Amino acid sequence: VLDEERAARVLESFARQGLMRHLGAGIVRLDHGFCAVAADRRPELTQQHGFIHAGVTSALMDTAGGYAALSTFSASDSVLTVDFTVNLLAPARGAQVIAEAAVVRTGRTLSVCTLEAFVLAYDGRRVHVATGRQTLIRLTDTSDQPPPEGERP
Amino acid sequence: VLDEERAARVLESFARQGLMRHLGAGIVRLDHGFCAVAADRRPELTQQHGFIHAGVTSALMDTAGGYAALSTFSASDSVLTVDFTVNLLAPARGAQVIAEAAVVRTGRTLSVCTLEAFVLAYDGRRVHVATGRQTLIRLTDTSDQPPPEGERP
Amino acid sequence: VLDEERAARVLESFARQGLMRHLGAGIVRLDHGFCAVAADRRPELTQQHGFIHAGVTSALMDTAGGYAALSTFSASDSVLTVDFTVNLLAPARGAQVIAEAAVVRTGRTLSVCTLEAFVLAYDGRRVHVATGRQTLIRLTDTSDQPPPEGERP
Amino acid sequence: VLDEERAARVLESFARQGLMRHLGAGIVRLDHGFCAVAADRRPELTQQHGFIHAGVTSALMDTAGGYAALSTFSASDSVLTVDFTVNLLAPARGAQVIAEAAVVRTGRTLSVCTLEAFVLAYDGRRVHVATGRQTLIRLTDTSDQPPPEGERP
């Protein structure tokens, strides 16, 4: 289980992500080494066929993985994605997309997450739409905050 | 060089992507087998440090690759991303992010693109922030349009 | 469960892979949409520290995935790897490496496998050393055999 | 240009890779941040159609990338692959396979290489058969040698 301090830290950091707010995304589950992020389908999130854009799905997968890793770190450490892969299994056609990330390896420097994404289809089924892998690096004693006043981000 | 019909088709399809509009992204260069998509930094596109979110960068990379491939197809064919990979080389800290995709292999069924992303840093330099690979599938005789009236996308 | 004809077809094809013989690798489990390939550690399979080379691990992962996919195809179809990714979780230090592949999506044209690799460590534990994803293409009505006599492979 | 000491270090480490010897592979070009590894086609390196196995191609790509990175490190540092991706562009049908790796980013901890593979086809053309990306980690003050006597690798 995740202690309250770490949970608060993840939620506070997520709240600072302008993109997640802009996409209407929220953390829907958070545990030690696990994070799920979801967004409802809106016209603002679509590709040319009207389905949820793979760019939304992958942004949610990347973000979920970052917070899954951060949830295992001490409060003085920060996290950055090193790389990730996304395999699209089906069009994201439905009312909501949910990205789930689980830490499969955590080391002193690097973490690896499995990433999965699902849509809640119109008939109520949960459809597996994407699968991926993510490598992340721990930044020891590095702030998760924006650059100091006067420096442009 | 890209013929006018194909260029018009790409631009029309891009214009139907609600996400690209929502991110403020536009096609800034288009050629036969090449597409570049850019977006200016805004608070709506940021991660927790205030930098451009890797999810924006990868959404632009995926989209650029889709249209690079589509630019080589005949008008009756459509395109879907099969998978893509993103390696982040540096934080996307700057005034604009530009994703460039070039087709390196085009076959009857599958295409492969190289994906690169750059930021226009505040000092005017163009910084290489991400590199990736994308596999796409050609959908022969398949519409690039939304599902017919009455079917939910 | 896998019917006998498909199982025979997979084993016959595997036996034609000169590399697998050269690495001392064999199929240790085969099911509908699942294949495991293993090789014992020998000096011929090592990298500079004496551990099993990541190239061996990934060759076994790729091969296991190909046969996991082929096990779901009809006898007239053949398979080719489109792309794969490998995340190394730990050094492959042990007496044997085992690659396991499971089909997570099978379509008319493309299949996707999850790839995992383990070593049998010297203390008897099974250690997860690699994880990956693979995209494969079905070649309809295409022989799994070498080119006809007179054509060089 | 690569200084002699680093070049010697790379060649000595490569010579300790049992797999490279077993595959008949050798370093054919080495520069600061660049390495090419090649192997001639032999029945021992083939897949079921008689072409060079993708497992050979990817093993050579991974190895070339490792030494491209190591060529930029100081003598006290060692290197490990974190992850890599391989997109296969064409069957490896020809007399020789050559993997080329170039460092595109080198940091205090992580390096990223682009990986490309070619075959020398029977008609003398050089055919691009694979492209990929690799992330590597620098192990500071870590030996590139096998474990001490008495410990099993």
Side-chain angles (χ1 to χ4, degrees), chain A residues 17 22 53 84 86 122 151 153, chain B residues 17 22 53 86 93 122 153:
Chain A
Q17 294 210 348
H22 195 48
H53 199 292
F84 66 97
V86 177
Y122 297 114
E151 279 189 40
Chain B
Q17 293 209 351
H22 196 48
H53 200 291
V86 178
R93 190 172 181 174
Y122 296 115

Side-chain angles (χ1 to χ4, degrees), chain D residues 3-143:
Chain D
D3 61 70
E4 267 182 54
E5 187 194 314
R6 277 188 173 117
R9 191 165 166 251
V10 163
L11 296 173
E12 186 275 331
S13 176
F14 184 90
R16 266 185 286 115
Q17 294 210 348
L19 179 67
M20 289 300 111
R21 204 164 41 236
H22 195 48
L23 298 178
I27 291 181
V28 292
R29 199 177 134 202
L30 182 64
D31 224 321
H32 184 84
F34 182 91
C35 183
V37 176
D40 288 342
R41 183 198 175 279
R42 297 185 292 149
E44 287 84 355
L45 306 193
T46 56
Q47 40 83 291
Q48 73 274 17
H49 302 101
F51 306 149
I52 295 168
H53 199 293
V56 172
T57 305
S58 55
L60 267 51
M61 291 166 83
D62 172 46
T63 302
Y67 290 116
L70 192 67
S71 76
T72 68
F73 292 177
S74 70
S76 56
D77 297 345
S78 183
V79 67
L80 272 184
T81 299
V82 171
D83 58 55
F84 65 97
T85 69
V86 178
N87 292 69
L88 299 167
L89 305 175
R93 189 173 181 174
Q96 188 182 54
V97 59
I98 307 110
E100 298 186 352
V103 176
V104 287
R105 179 201 185 276
T106 182
R108 196 166 46 93
T109 307
L110 297 176
S111 298
V112 178
C113 285
T114 58
L115 309 176
E116 311 293 344
F118 304 88
V119 292
L120 189 64
Y122 296 116
D123 61 6
R125 282 180 311 131
R126 183 176 151 100
V127 179
H128 195 185
V129 295
T131 183
R133 293 286 182 261
Q134 182 186 32
T135 299
L136 306 111
I137 188 166
R138 181 201 304 259
L139 304 175
T140 313
D141 298 321
T142 302
S143 168

Side-chain angles (χ1 to χ4, degrees), chain C residues 13-14 16-23 41-51 53-56 58-59 62-63 67 78-89 91 93-94 122 143-147 151-153, chain D residues 13-14 16-23 41-51 53-56 58-59 62-63 67 78-89 91 93-94 122 143-147 151-153:
Chain C
S13 175
F14 184 91
R16 265 186 285 117
Q17 293 209 349
L19 180 67
M20 288 300 111
R21 202 164 41 236
H22 195 49
L23 299 179
R41 183 198 176 282
R42 297 185 292 150
E44 287 86 353
L45 307 192
T46 55
Q47 38 82 290
Q48 74 275 17
H49 302 101
F51 306 149
H53 199 291
V56 173
S58 55
D62 172 47
T63 303
Y67 289 115
S78 183
V79 68
L80 272 184
T81 300
V82 171
D83 58 55
F84 66 96
T85 68
V86 177
N87 292 69
L88 300 167
L89 306 175
R93 189 173 182 174
Y122 297 115
S143 168
D144 189 61
Q145 301 290 328
E151 277 187 41
R152 281 190 291 183
Chain D
S13 176
F14 184 90
R16 266 185 286 115
Q17 294 210 348
L19 179 67
M20 289 300 111
R21 204 164 41 236
H22 195 48
L23 298 178
R41 183 198 175 279
R42 297 185 292 149
E44 287 84 355
L45 306 193
T46 56
Q47 40 83 291
Q48 73 274 17
H49 302 101
F51 306 149
H53 199 293
V56 172
S58 55
D62 172 46
T63 302
Y67 290 116
S78 183
V79 67
L80 272 184
T81 299
V82 171
D83 58 55
F84 65 97
T85 69
V86 178
N87 292 69
L88 299 167
L89 305 175
R93 189 173 181 174
Y122 296 116
S143 168
D144 189 61
Q145 301 290 329
E151 277 188 42
R152 279 190 292 183

Side-chain angles (χ1 to χ4, degrees), chain C residues 108-129:
Chain C
R108 195 165 48 90
T109 307
L110 297 176
S111 297
V112 178
C113 286
T114 58
L115 309 176
E116 309 294 346
F118 304 87
V119 292
L120 189 64
Y122 297 115
D123 61 5
R125 282 180 312 131
R126 183 176 152 100
V127 178
H128 195 184
V129 294

Side-chain angles (χ1 to χ4, degrees), chain A residues 13 16-20 22-23 41-44 46-51 53-56 58-59 62-63 67 78 81-88 93 122 143-147 151-153, chain B residues 13 16-20 22-23 41-44 46-51 53-56 58-59 62-63 67 78 81-88 93 122 143-147 151-153:
Chain A
S13 175
R16 267 185 285 117
Q17 294 210 348
L19 179 67
M20 289 300 111
H22 195 48
L23 299 178
R41 182 198 176 280
R42 297 185 291 150
E44 287 85 355
T46 56
Q47 38 84 290
Q48 73 274 18
H49 302 99
F51 306 148
H53 199 292
V56 173
S58 55
D62 172 45
T63 303
Y67 289 115
S78 183
T81 300
V82 171
D83 58 54
F84 66 97
T85 69
V86 177
N87 292 69
L88 299 167
R93 190 173 180 173
Y122 297 114
S143 168
D144 189 60
Q145 302 290 328
E151 279 189 40
R152 281 190 292 184
Chain B
S13 175
R16 268 186 284 116
Q17 293 209 351
L19 179 67
M20 289 300 111
H22 196 48
L23 298 179
R41 184 199 176 279
R42 296 185 292 150
E44 288 85 354
T46 54
Q47 38 84 291
Q48 73 275 16
H49 302 101
F51 307 149
H53 200 291
V56 173
S58 55
D62 173 46
T63 303
Y67 289 116
S78 183
T81 300
V82 171
D83 58 54
F84 65 97
T85 68
V86 178
N87 292 70
L88 300 167
R93 190 172 181 174
Y122 296 115
S143 169
D144 189 61
Q145 301 290 328
E151 278 188 41
R152 280 190 290 184

Side-chain angles (χ1 to χ4, degrees), chain B residues 61-62 65 84-85 100-101 113-117 130-134:
Chain B
M61 290 167 84
D62 173 46
F84 65 97
T85 68
E100 299 186 352
C113 285
T114 57
L115 309 176
E116 309 294 345
T131 182
R133 293 287 183 261
Q134 183 186 30

